Amino acid sequence: GAVGRIGVAVRRWRRCLEELAEEEVRAAERGAGLDADRAAALLAAALLGGGQARAAGESLAELLGAQGALRLRDRGGHLLAECLDGVLDAERDRRTAPLEALEVTPDHQVELIAALSVLQRER
């Protein structure tokens, strides 16, 4: 169902965040001692908002430096927007498919509106 499909999309987004964090940690000048898993968790918290978003963003900046954190948040935010758009588009398409299968044309719509007008006048 929808919960399962959305769960798959969330897990895919999380894996992509982890990959972005790993790339940024590798690129960081501070190098070897950085924890990519921690960076990914902080990034998720910073992006998803809530009470901990600001603290997570600050911790991410301490971990990666301001530029690295900003770059990672921009990329992660773009990824989140793509994920949400994909999920919403897919669910909308699933829900509207039966209506599209009816192949209702503008002529049909005009006829239905006219019939509704007649019914309302008869009341």
Side-chain angles (χ1 to χ4, degrees):
V3 172
R5 290 187 300 274
I6 293 168
V8 168
V10 168
R11 287 188 296 277
R12 186 177 304 129
W13 175 71
R14 206 173 82 214
R15 278 193 307 274
C16 290
L17 277 191
E18 290 166 356
E19 290 173 9
L20 289 177
E22 286 173 13
E23 288 175 22
E24 196 60 46
V25 163
R26 278 195 305 271
E29 292 178 8
R30 302 169 196 183
L34 298 181
D35 182 355
D37 290 337
R38 182 166 184 255
L42 289 169
L43 176 59
L47 291 172
L48 295 176
Q52 299 301 314
R54 183 178 183 142
E58 291 170 357
S59 295
L60 192 60
E62 289 172 12
L63 185 69
L64 298 173
Q67 291 298 322
L70 184 60
R71 188 170 40 248
L72 190 55
R73 284 184 72 167
D74 285 347
R75 293 175 71 195
H78 181 70
L79 198 63
L80 178 58
E82 284 180 351
C83 179
L84 287 173
D85 287 346
V87 166
L88 293 175
D89 288 348
E91 290 305 309
R92 183 190 59 242
D93 291 347
R94 289 179 63 81
R95 303 240 191 281
T96 59
L99 293 175
E100 290 174 7
L102 295 175
E103 298 179 7
V104 176
T105 65
D107 290 338
H108 293 124
Q109 293 172 0
V110 169
E111 290 173 18
L112 288 171
I113 291 169
L116 179 62
S117 295
V118 169
L119 286 173
Q120 287 176 339
R121 267 186 264 134
E122 292 296 321
R123 286 186 175 175

